[in-house]
Amino acid sequence: MASPVVLGIESSCDETGVGLVRHGRLLGHALASSMDEHARFGGVVPEIAARAHLHALTPVVRRALDEAGLRLSDVGAVAVTTGPGLSGALQVGLAGAKALAYSLGVPLHGVHHLAGHVAADTLEHGPLPNPCVVLIVSGGHTSLLLVRDLARDPIVHLGDTLDDAAGECFDKVARAFGLPYPGGPAIDRAARAGDPRAVPLPRPLPGSYDFSFSGLKTAAARWAEAHAGRALPVADGAASLQEAVADVLTRKAVAACRAHGVATLVVVGGVAANSRVRALAEERCRAAGITLRVPPLRLCTDNGAMIAAVGDLLVRAGTAPAPLDVSIDPSAPLEYAALHPVAAPGTAAA
């Protein structure tokens, strides 16, 4: 039988995303962001994000269907992010997904948000090699993973962030530099005119696959504070910070590939859109004889297409759908691509 069209919903943070995927092919997707509403606060406000999802979800579903040239009745399965993320934001997406699945009489699959980032690459480059090393770099997560069959096998963690993730480091240092939110794109833009060797910033945890960007963040902030009363050379600071982050990420990722005899590195997540991370990863992978895969920019940040991609893999693998009482887990660890938490009897969902 032909694979069904899978509709995926992503609402873990400040972007409402809907995608439609069938047998590994992206048919259409749409996105609405509340980022501008959060910018004046310097970060995401959970209540504002949840309300924005509530207003955006139905129009975004319609836009994705229109782009794909499909009707709602063409959907054969629904996938939705059930964690991790902001509790209220996740609840909106899950409620919408349950309503769609119930009304259409189709199965519902809960998806781990980070597995979505991994699957995003398959929409551009096809099935993931088995095995591959995956470097996830997003606003709140930095992880090195050993991935085999994403839909069936447990995901092995080689290293994880111990404090601030790379994206958090960019956001917080950008504020110290007087740059706007979100910090990652602002740092990337400012760095183009700077000298990456101008500021001697540390490279945290050189002998480990784990990540720690809190000390780097502090070092960059202290450098900025030392310029009080004088003009801050923002471009040099941004370039030096970006170089330090890119150096740590790519050095550890290539080392992990070598240590585990893996020939393919996949770099995903919002920070995978950073120009220096992409360039240095390409340079070091080429030197090491490792194949590098990075999704296109539109699929690096949060989107519904990546959730639909996981749902499509789960459907084709014959994975059991989520139970009717599936809930959310805002702090879910990444163990499998499918995430079907159920609230304990007598308790409200987190």
Side-chain angles (χ1 to χ4, degrees):
M1 294 179 62
S3 298
V5 173
V6 179
L7 184 149
I9 296 175
E10 157 59 25
S11 69
S12 65
C13 193
D14 60 342
E15 287 162 321
T16 310
V18 174
L20 294 146
V21 172
R22 177 168 54 198
H23 205 81
R25 187 166 72 90
L26 178 59
L27 306 177
H29 72 118
L31 192 69
S33 176
S34 59
M35 185 179 297
D36 289 345
E37 299 177 56
H38 304 287
R40 61 195 178 101
F41 300 101
V44 176
V45 180
E47 180 63 19
I48 291 176
R51 289 178 181 272
H53 289 306
L54 191 61
H55 290 294
L57 185 56
T58 297
V60 172
V61 169
R62 289 174 179 158
R63 281 167 43 206
L65 287 167
D66 288 345
E67 182 180 286
L70 297 172
R71 297 170 297 176
L72 196 55
S73 58
D74 294 320
V75 172
V78 176
V80 62
T81 303
T82 46
L86 303 174
S87 177
L90 290 168
Q91 290 283 19
V92 174
L94 179 57
K98 283 184 175 182
L100 287 172
Y102 181 78
S103 64
L104 294 170
V106 301
L108 174 68
H109 291 269
V111 170
H112 196 288
H113 174 78
L114 297 182
H117 279 302
V118 179
D121 183 72
T122 67
L123 298 175
E124 182 72 12
H125 299 119
L128 293 170
N130 182 355
C132 61
V133 167
V134 177
L135 172 65
I136 296 181
V137 271
S138 65
H141 304 274
T142 305
S143 295
L144 263 177
L145 311 171
L146 184 63
V147 176
R148 297 188 182 280
D149 186 321
L150 184 62
R152 296 182 175 90
D153 294 336
I155 295 167
V156 178
H157 288 247
L158 305 177
D160 291 289
T161 186
L162 303 179
D163 40 55
D164 285 359
E168 290 175 297
C169 179
F170 280 147
D171 283 341
K172 292 173 181 177
V173 175
R175 177 180 290 189
F177 286 1
L179 295 173
Y181 175 86
I187 291 286
D188 201 348
R189 288 191 298 269
R192 294 170 191 165
D195 178 359
R197 297 164 296 181
V199 185
L201 294 174
R203 271 47 172 179
L205 300 180
S208 166
Y209 291 141
D210 286 326
F211 300 92
S212 169
F213 291 105
S214 179
L216 176 59
K217 170 200 69 179
T218 300
R222 293 290 177 268
W223 172 79
E225 290 171 3
H227 287 77
R230 295 178 289 144
L232 181 67
V234 172
D236 286 345
S240 298
L241 175 72
Q242 182 173 262
E243 187 67 21
V245 171
D247 182 25
V248 169
L249 292 174
T250 58
R251 190 179 299 276
K252 289 174 185 275
V254 169
C257 289
R258 285 172 166 160
H260 292 271
V262 173
T264 302
L265 171 65
V266 184
V267 183
V268 298
V271 180
N274 179 271
S275 62
R276 184 54 182 156
V277 170
R278 296 169 82 94
L280 193 54
E282 183 176 350
E283 176 185 321
R284 286 180 167 166
C285 283
R286 188 187 305 112
I290 295 168
T291 299
L292 174 67
R293 292 176 38 157
V294 187
L297 295 179
R298 74 183 192 284
L299 296 178
C300 285
T301 52
D302 294 350
N303 62 84
M306 69 187 199
I307 304 304
V310 178
D312 174 63
L313 291 173
L314 295 175
V315 168
R316 287 192 279 146
T319 304
L324 292 177
D325 56 349
V326 64
S327 184
I328 61 165
D329 185 347
S331 57
L334 177 57
E335 298 172 340
Y336 288 89
L339 180 62
H340 297 167
V342 176
T347 64

